Structure formats: C-alpha cells, structure tokens
Amino acid sequence: MARRPLPRILSSGTTSLARGRDLARTAADSATDVLHPLLVIGRGLRVLAAAGRQKWARTPKDKRGPALFLGAACVLVVALVPYGPLAGLITLMAAAAWRGRDRTPVKTGPSEAESERLGSLYEALVPYFSTPEDPNPLFAHGGQWDRAFSGYAFDDAGRVTRLRIRYPAYFTDGEAASRARIEALLHAKSGRGREYLFEWDEEGNQLDLTVLAPLPTGIAAQPFVTSPGETVLGFTDAGSVQRTLPVLEDDAPRDVPPVIWRTGPRSTEPHLLAVGRPGSGTSSLLRSIALQALRHGGEVLIVEGGGSGEFSCLSGRTGVLAVECGPAGALATLEWAARETERRLMAAHRAREAGRPAPEDTRRPLWILLDRPSVLAHLATAEGGPDPLARLQVPLRHGRGAHVTVVVAEQFDHLELLNDAVWQHTRARVVLGPAAMQQITDVLGLPPHTTPTAQLPPGRGYARLGSGPVHRVQVPATPDPYDDDANPEHRQAVLELLPGRQLPAPGAPGRVTLSKPLHIVQPPGPSDDAEEIEEVPAEAPPARGPWPVGP
C-alpha cells in the first residue's frame, strides 16, 4: 500500500503544538510593543543608577559628606518649589528614556575585512574587464571597487554570498568562453565548495553572483501528487520552475519545486538518458521512475547490466514483466519489446482505419529501464552474440506513438559504447554526481549556470529536458530496500511503495516471466475482409529463474 500523509489534525499533535507556539510568539511580540516605553525607561534608570554608583565610588571619602549634603539640599529645594516634584519626575523620566534608548550602531558599509575581500576580487577582474585603449577604465589596478560592485552581502565567515558586478560594454559577454573564464575566476576567489549562480544581463552590462542553498536530501520516495504521464525526476531551486509539490521531508510537510518529465504520445522528450559515476545515484533514479510508473498502472521491463541485484526488490511484482541481468535474457527481453512496439503500432493503425479507438493494451504505458547496458553489450560481443542495444532502435524511434518509454542509465567511462540511436532519441538528459564542466556540457548540450562542486551527495546533479534550460536536481532518496547500509527510513518508504507479488499459476514454478503473451498483428491479404485481423501468438522469451538471473 502506498504511504499517504495523515491529515494535519491527526498528525500526532504537531500542528497543535506549532499553532500554540505561534500564538505564544505573537502574544509576546504584542506585549513587547505595548511595554516598549516602560522597558526603555527601566533600562535608562538602570543605566543612571549604575552611573551614580560609579560616581559615588570614585568620590574621595573626605568629600562624600559635602556631596551628600549638597544632594539633599537640591532635593529639598525641588520639593519646596511649586510643581517641583512633578518637574523633577518628568526630568528624571526624560533622562532615563534618553539613556535607555537603543544605540546599536547601524552598519552602513562593509567592514575592513569585507572591503579587503572586495578589493581583491576587483583586482583579479582587472585583466579581464579592461583594455589599454579605454580612456576612463571602470576596472584599473589601484582603482575604486565601489564603482563596479554593488548589492554585496557576506555570510558569518566573511565570504561573499551575493554580489552585483557592472562591467564595460566592450566585454564579449556573448561568448561562452569569455563568460566561463569570469565564472571560474569568481568561483575560485569567492570560496570553493559552494555552488554559485551567475546571471548575465547583457543589455545592462551587469553580472549577478548568488550562492545557492543546498538542495534538500531528506525527501524519500513517496506517492507524489502527479497525473499519469508525469514523472518526478527530482527537486530543484524555487526560482527555476513555476510549480511546487507537497512532500514529506523527515516527516515534516513542505512544498518543493519539482523537475517534471512528461512522457506519452504528446511528449517532446519521450526517452531519458541518465549519466553518472559509481555511487552517484543513477540506479536510485531508475528505481524512483519504476515505482512512479507502477503506481500509475504502467508495465516495466528492467535490464540490469551490473548484476549487483539492486532491482531484485521489483522481481515478481505486479506490473513488472521481467528483470534480466544476463546477455541472453536481455537480448530476448529487448527483442520482445521491439516486437511489442511494432504490434502496438499496427493495432493502433488498424483501429484508426476502422474508425475504432485504439485497444486498451496498446495504450497502457510500457517502460524499458536499462541500467549499465554497456556491460551486457561487452559480454555479448565477447561471446560472439548480437548486441542487445541494437534491439532498442524500434522502441526508441517509434516508442512515443506506442506508449513505450526507454530509460538508459550509464556511466561516464562507457558512454562511447552507446549506439547512435540512444544518443539521438534520448533528448531528456540527467547528469548525477561530481563531473567536470566539459563532461556535463557534452551530455546535456549546454553548460549549467552554476558551478559544480567536487563533493556532492548521492542523487545530486543536473537535468535538462530537450531544448529547455539546465536545472539543478536532487533525486528522491530511493535506495535498494534490501541494502543494510542504506537509511532505514528510506528503505521502509521504498518497501511501502512496492506493489504486491504476482500470484503464480497453479503448478507453475516461481519464475519471473512476461505477464502476457505477445501477439503480432498480421495485415490482411487482398481477399480478406478489412474488419478481420489475424492474431498469431508469438513465442515469448524464455522464462528466467529467481534473482540473480543468469544467461
């Protein structure tokens, strides 16, 4: 059963406690506003009393008697003068209010250390933003940094968190190489280990530098509020997308902006390619996609090249047609997928010719998930067999119209083993884990607007859907539920999302097989009726044994 969040009124009193804290905080703020004059006068009286005690302590002992007599005489005169006590009380309250006022100095500019840091940034940018022919250079050695910098902000450690830079109009900001040099320099001078967002305003000749907050890593796999055909790849920055999703992060509800991938016949990016290093989270992304596809009633085929058993939790589940990890099984499964794609296209075409809606079995989404298929391709070549990836051409080219979606996850070291069909038809791209800027650009086709760091949590990277912008993305934590080293709460969340086991037929061994036989639609002959369609049962791939499945 899918785990659904409880209503707020039933969630163990958390909302009531939060409402009580808010009411108490509001009452305290109101009381502080009402009693503010009394608090100021009380603070001033305390300051005057402290000053009087210090003055009395510094008075020599031989002069304390005359000073005490003079003070008593002044009090007596004030008491005898008409309206004297009232005037004295008003004077005392006014002095106390003056001494008790808030005299916190207002910061009007950067501190000395911050000014020095801004000056070093200014001097580092001089060779890039100045030319000898400029009669009045904005950037010059020994110049004033406040002419070029504005809107700066610093963190507690004194590092820049926000900065606006005004640069000369002759700077070649339209060239990617020129912008990359400036971004690399600012990244190095402002502090490594953080992600910076660079926004270039070419019309106004301004560059805005902003330090991005880390993306949330505590969001586990859960039933997301999406419609069929929408898949949550991960979560990104608030200003990148115009939509938010309600999720649970560490059992606390919040709204986060997602990266939504839309599939189906009307999708412009029907297939996905995920690239990363070992441990970057590509397998977690495939598990997250598989769970979301099963939740919306889709069918899933899984081909695992690594053979580590990370998808054994899906073996034998309702909606999972097969889980393969050997060259022979992968070849048979992908060959069935190609024929199933052809069957769906032909059945839908015949239905449209006859004026009927497409059959239900041709409109049910079929997901083909491949994790590290290059390993299987290498094993098949070593054994002298055909390449299993060659069977992907039909699902990749014609899968959109047949409700077939292909997701390929591969590592950087084996990208050259992917054939041209994979590169041409997987226009939705995801790069996870630490990677060089050139590697990210080669996969996504566009460099990100942020600076990648050397250390990233699993599932953290960049995503680009077709010709859209590059988004930062954090994949929902979807570990292998049978991995003892994973977070127990995240493992439990995955177990709750898994569908039930398929009931084997009476007398059949417990094997993972395709859930239905393949029917290939034969076109009618010249003498056949247009309404009659002959369906010939095709041979399904051989049944695979329980996990791990070998060739």
Side-chain angles (χ1 to χ4, degrees):
M1 294 295 293
R3 184 178 63 177
R4 298 181 181 276
L6 292 173
R8 295 190 176 183
I9 193 65
L10 300 177
S11 56
S12 66
T14 304
T15 305
S16 300
L17 293 177
R19 186 181 297 111
R21 287 195 295 266
D22 293 340
L23 291 176
R25 188 179 297 109
T26 303
D29 294 340
S30 301
T32 302
D33 294 338
V34 172
L35 301 177
H36 180 70
L38 296 179
L39 295 177
V40 172
I41 292 175
R43 183 167 56 248
L45 291 176
R46 187 170 61 252
V47 173
L48 291 176
R53 285 196 301 268
Q54 295 177 0
K55 183 66 175 179
W56 180 261
R58 290 195 300 266
T59 302
K61 293 184 178 181
D62 57 341
K63 295 183 179 180
R64 290 183 179 180
L68 185 60
F69 177 77
L70 181 60
C74 293
V75 171
L76 181 61
V77 171
V78 171
L80 295 177
V81 172
Y83 303 103
L86 180 59
L89 181 61
I90 293 175
T91 304
L92 179 62
M93 294 299 103
W98 177 259
R99 297 299 300 270
R101 71 186 188 282
D102 187 9
R103 291 179 291 181
T104 303
V106 179
K107 185 178 180 181
T108 58
S111 62
E112 183 178 354
E114 294 171 352
S115 299
E116 184 177 355
R117 183 177 290 271
L118 292 175
S120 64
L121 280 175
Y122 177 84
E123 292 292 335
L125 291 172
V126 168
Y128 301 92
F129 285 151
S130 63
T131 58
E133 294 81 8
D134 191 353
N136 185 20
L138 182 62
F139 284 82
H141 291 292
Q144 298 295 326
W145 59 262
D146 53 357
R147 293 181 54 197
F149 294 164
S150 63
Y152 45 81
F154 297 85
D155 58 8
D156 297 336
R159 297 189 298 177
V160 177
T161 58
R162 189 181 74 255
L163 180 63
R164 169 165 292 185
I165 302 174
R166 187 167 63 94
Y167 55 87
Y170 52 77
F171 176 71
T172 56
D173 52 3
E175 299 178 2
S178 301
R179 294 197 303 267
R181 286 194 296 267
I182 299 299
E183 293 174 2
L185 174 65
L186 293 175
H187 183 201
K189 293 295 184 180
S190 300
R192 299 185 183 274
R194 301 183 298 174
E195 289 189 79
Y196 296 88
L197 174 64
F198 298 97
E199 296 178 339
W200 292 84
D201 182 9
E202 299 179 2
E203 295 182 359
N205 299 323
Q206 290 183 347
L207 169 61
D208 290 336
L209 178 149
T210 307
V211 177
L212 297 175
L215 295 176
T217 59
I219 302 177
Q222 54 193 280
F224 300 114
V225 184
T226 55
S227 60
E230 292 183 344
T231 303
V232 177
L233 298 180
F235 302 96
T236 183
D237 300 298
S240 300
V241 295
Q242 299 178 355
R243 178 178 175 180
T244 58
L245 285 181
V247 298
L248 290 176
E249 182 183 2
D250 299 330
D251 296 332
R254 57 173 301 190
D255 293 337
V256 292
V259 178
I260 299 293
W261 174 40
R262 292 174 176 84
T263 57
R266 299 184 181 277
S267 173
T268 57
E269 300 86 24
H271 309 295
L272 175 72
L273 173 63
V275 184
R277 299 185 182 276
S280 60
T282 54
S283 298
S284 296
L285 175 60
L286 260 62
R287 273 190 296 269
S288 176
I289 293 175
L291 293 176
Q292 295 180 63
L294 294 173
R295 177 173 172 265
H296 289 298
E299 297 175 333
V300 177
L301 281 173
I302 300 176
V303 177
E304 182 187 2
S308 58
E310 293 189 359
F311 297 90
S312 60
C313 60
L314 296 170
S315 179
R317 301 284 180 175
T318 302
V320 180
L321 303 183
V323 177
E324 297 291 345
C325 69
L331 181 63
T333 300
L334 295 180
E335 185 175 357
W336 179 90
R339 294 184 178 180
E340 172 67 8
T341 304
E342 296 174 351
R343 182 196 73 84
R344 291 184 174 208
L345 291 174
M346 296 175 66
H349 177 67
R350 295 301 182 187
R352 285 193 295 268
E353 284 185 342
R356 299 192 306 266
E360 181 64 27
D361 60 344
T362 64
R363 290 185 282 118
R364 187 178 186 183
L366 174 62
W367 294 75
I368 305 174
L369 309 181
L370 298 95
D371 188 20
R372 299 185 63 190
S374 61
V375 178
L376 297 178
H378 178 76
L379 293 177
T381 304
E383 295 177 359
D387 185 4
L389 292 178
R391 303 299 188 272
L392 280 178
Q393 293 189 7
V394 175
L396 285 172
R397 292 178 179 178
H398 308 289
R400 179 172 58 181
H403 294 270
V404 177
T405 303
V406 179
V407 181
V408 180
E410 192 51 83
Q411 297 182 3
F412 279 107
D413 299 336
H414 304 120
L415 289 180
E416 67 276 1
L417 299 179
L418 299 179
N419 52 28
D420 294 337
V422 175
W423 286 104
Q424 291 176 1
H425 298 283
T426 54
R427 300 183 66 249
R429 305 284 178 84
V430 177
V431 177
L432 299 180
M437 183 67 73
Q438 186 60 42
Q439 290 179 317
I440 300 175
T441 305
D442 292 341
V443 175
L444 301 182
L446 193 70
H449 294 290
T450 62
T451 53
T453 58
Q455 300 294 331
L456 292 175
R460 172 68 180 82
Y462 299 92
R464 188 189 184 198
L465 304 179
S467 58
V470 179
H471 300 286
R472 290 203 310 164
V473 66
Q474 176 65 49
V475 176
T478 316
D480 181 8
Y482 302 150
D483 184 7
D484 296 335
D485 296 333
N487 189 320
E489 296 181 358
H490 296 170
R491 292 166 50 195
Q492 183 62 30
V494 175
L495 287 174
E496 293 178 0
L497 291 178
L498 290 175
R501 296 280 183 181
Q502 295 181 3
L503 296 178
R511 294 177 179 271
V512 180
T513 59
L514 297 174
S515 63
K516 64 178 185 296
L518 173 64
H519 291 77
I520 300 179
V521 179
Q522 300 290 345
S527 60
D528 296 339
D529 188 1
E531 297 292 335
E532 296 180 358
I533 299 176
E534 181 183 1
E535 293 186 359
V536 180
E539 182 180 359
R544 313 305 302 168
W547 193 272
V549 183

